[in-house]
Amino acid sequence: MEHQPLKSWADSAATLVAVAAGRAPADTVLRGGKVVNVHTREVLEGWQVAIAEGRFAYVGPDASHCIGPETEVIELGGRYLIPGLCDGHMHIESGMLTPAEFASAVIPHGTTTMFTDPHEIANVLGLRGVKLMHDEALIQPISIYTQMPSCAPSAPGLETTGYEIGPDDVAEAMTWPGIIGLGEMMNFPGVVHGSQQMLAEIAATQNAGKTVGGHYASPDLGPDFHAYAAGGPADDHEGTCEADAIARVRQGMRSMMRLGSAWYDVETQITAVTEKGLDSRNFILCTDDCHSGTLVNDGHMNRVVRHAIECGCDPLVALQMATINTATHFGLERELGSIAPGRRADLIVTSDLRELPIERVIAHGRTVAEGGEITVTCPHLDWPEDARQTVHLGRELSATDFEIKAPDGVEAVTAKVIGVVENQAPTETLKRKVAVKQGLLEPEGPVCQIALVERHRGTGDVVNALVEGFGYEGNMAMASTVAHDSHHMIVVGTDRVQMALAANRLAEIGGGVTVWKDGEELALVELPIAGLMSDRPAKEVAAKADGMVAAMQACGCTLNNAYMQHSLLALVVIPSLRISDLGLVDVTKFELTELIEETQ
């Protein structure tokens, strides 16, 4: 079936009234079930639902008066009807998929609305890339709203992006039909210190009557945090503990608690509701970053809701956090997020509110998935060729490009090392003694090398540093053109020859992820669109992603979803130590720092 734009409530009102009154037949009636009402937090036994023109017309005890000769009647057999799930903050590019293929992957899991920030592609292709994501999102059979990226670069002066985003870009985007607000304001030091550019972007969003997304990635809850809240961000997903969640809601922000492929921040924050008893309407569940393997094998927002319930949250409260709370936050409570008259007819049929099996999904009034399988087509844009040619190294790299030279005459150094923290976005700043052989740093044991290879302008520049926590062994390397947020190329390895092989391979194919060991490529995930996404089916990409994970494990890595950790090593707005095309970055001070501290 071709995509048909959904009529507004106003344009459908006459039909909805006629159906609810019994003067006209509904398109669909669901009966014999239990309606979960997220407005009142109750389960309404035996209530029935009538749908017309993609919206709910009647929600009440008996919809028999809405049934006509052509009405589809769905018998529920005692099962529950819950609103379609909403993801309040996420990045489609992190799924390694285009909007169409991401939608295809999550629809069977019950996700019917997403609020997505395409700042990954903004760093590579600028405003044009955002528009391509926005345009493909608008033609999907579910609701995908776009937040205009706010920070490209995310930390001016500490990284170089392919393109930059400014206030004029934000103001232009606010006129597009699918823009819901401003994406996460990652440059929190800029807001705190009164950056005119950051405040102008926020002002353009507020003047358009839209929502400003937050990103305060500092543990400091003192005056800087209060200054950030005063700047205008309406939510924040960077909290990692109960105190973070409480601090945000006390300032009138929504606390977005995330469970992504590698971010496990729900359990440590949801106690603000389950134990401290704070008003749950100010809390929202989201995923932030999920790669294709997680989407295909584990789920999407249904996975987050189940996890929240496992952490002690009442199932109805958890459902509110993934439906009506999200809709309300973005000013869409009268449009979606609940099973109520006039709203978009987005719902899930499930037999268990705790385990949440997704048995049927209806979006915009039609069945889009049943029994775990999608039943509709998700339309694709014709992505232009220049969006598929974005990896420019400028030259072929060799092992010497990954050498780290030591000062003359020393036998060892004390160096700063990026410490990976499992299941967390922040890193640690470690200090390790590293041997020097023939004038070069030669890390051993848990410490290996990391390099950032410039890939937007073909400069041929390579920045080298050290990282610990992956557990790699033998002669190996892993390279990826997914490197939040500037999305140059990150290469991590124990052997410089393998690092060169991996980097050159990605230049050859136009982007993706590759794992090498002993001169052999163990895994490859092709991501030709902006070096970030594939337009192949999600299951196909997930299978390659699973192969990538297996290859990392074959190289000694035991971290949970280590690929996500790998992809964030250049994220210079989350403490504490990162790498960029300009050097090693101390994010606690927002300044470049030296790799070598002492010589011996």
Side-chain angles (χ1 to χ4, degrees), residues 263-391:
W263 322 137
Y264 285 61
D265 296 321
V266 174
E267 185 174 7
T268 55
Q269 296 185 89
I270 204 166
T271 52
V273 174
T274 59
E275 296 179 11
K276 291 294 191 295
L278 270 62
D279 188 342
S280 62
R281 291 297 296 271
N282 296 309
F283 294 81
I284 291 170
L285 296 174
C286 68
T287 64
D288 199 358
D289 297 295
C290 280
H291 70 66
S292 55
T294 300
L295 300 179
V296 170
N297 299 322
D298 301 325
H300 189 231
M301 282 304 297
N302 57 330
R303 170 176 174 259
V304 187
V305 173
R306 282 196 303 263
H307 177 68
I309 294 168
E310 291 167 358
C311 291
C313 189
D314 181 287
L316 298 187
V317 173
L319 286 172
Q320 286 180 315
M321 292 178 180
T323 57
I324 192 63
N325 293 10
T326 314
T328 301
H329 176 61
F330 288 101
L332 294 171
E333 184 176 351
R334 297 280 291 170
E335 183 65 19
L336 52 85
S338 65
I339 301 174
R343 277 67 169 184
R344 299 185 180 195
D346 301 339
L347 61 81
I348 296 166
V349 178
T350 183
S351 54
D352 191 313
L353 292 184
R354 286 187 171 273
E355 295 300 322
L356 213 62
I358 309 299
E359 291 153 8
R360 182 193 287 257
V361 183
I362 291 176
H364 301 181
R366 61 174 176 149
T367 297
V368 292
E370 194 165 7
E373 298 294 330
I374 192 165
T375 58
V376 293
T377 299
C378 294
H380 286 245
L381 282 184
D382 183 11
W383 286 79
E385 188 60 26
D386 66 314
R388 298 175 180 270
Q389 302 292 333
T390 63
V391 181

Side-chain angles (χ1 to χ4, degrees), residues 404-464:
I404 305 177
K405 291 181 171 56
D408 293 340
V410 303
E411 297 181 353
V413 301
T414 299
K416 296 188 185 77
V417 176
I418 301 171
V420 173
V421 181
E422 187 169 28
N423 293 329
Q424 292 285 321
T427 63
E428 297 177 317
T429 299
L430 307 176
K431 295 180 181 180
R432 298 287 186 258
K433 182 179 179 180
V434 180
V436 173
K437 299 177 183 178
Q438 298 181 337
L440 303 176
L441 268 63
E442 297 289 357
E444 297 175 342
V447 179
C448 57
Q449 288 193 212
I450 178 174
L452 188 139
V453 180
E454 199 283 332
R455 68 114 161 166
H456 297 310
R457 295 177 174 83
T459 64
D461 292 342
V462 179
V463 173
N464 289 291

Side-chain angles (χ1 to χ4, degrees), residues 387-520:
R388 298 175 180 270
Q389 302 292 333
T390 63
V391 181
H392 310 291
L393 302 193
R395 61 188 175 85
E396 185 173 343
L397 301 180
S398 68
T400 57
D401 288 302
F402 300 96
E403 293 177 350
I404 305 177
K405 291 181 171 56
D408 293 340
V410 303
E411 297 181 353
V413 301
T414 299
K416 296 188 185 77
V417 176
I418 301 171
V420 173
V421 181
E422 187 169 28
N423 293 329
Q424 292 285 321
T427 63
E428 297 177 317
T429 299
L430 307 176
K431 295 180 181 180
R432 298 287 186 258
K433 182 179 179 180
V434 180
V436 173
K437 299 177 183 178
Q438 298 181 337
L440 303 176
L441 268 63
E442 297 289 357
E444 297 175 342
V447 179
C448 57
Q449 288 193 212
I450 178 174
L452 188 139
V453 180
E454 199 283 332
R455 68 114 161 166
H456 297 310
R457 295 177 174 83
T459 64
D461 292 342
V462 179
V463 173
N464 289 291
L466 302 170
V467 66
E468 179 181 314
F470 288 109
Y472 291 132
E473 299 172 347
N475 296 323
M476 61 74 59
M478 175 176 177
S480 172
T481 51
V482 178
H484 305 266
D485 276 327
S486 56
H487 295 290
H488 291 288
M489 183 191 297
I490 286 183
V491 189
V492 172
T494 61
D495 178 79
R496 291 186 283 271
V497 172
Q498 310 306 309
M499 294 174 77
L501 288 169
N504 290 329
R505 176 64 163 148
L506 294 187
E508 173 191 345
I509 67 166
V513 188
T514 184
V515 182
W516 287 69
K517 184 175 183 180
D518 297 329
E520 178 185 353

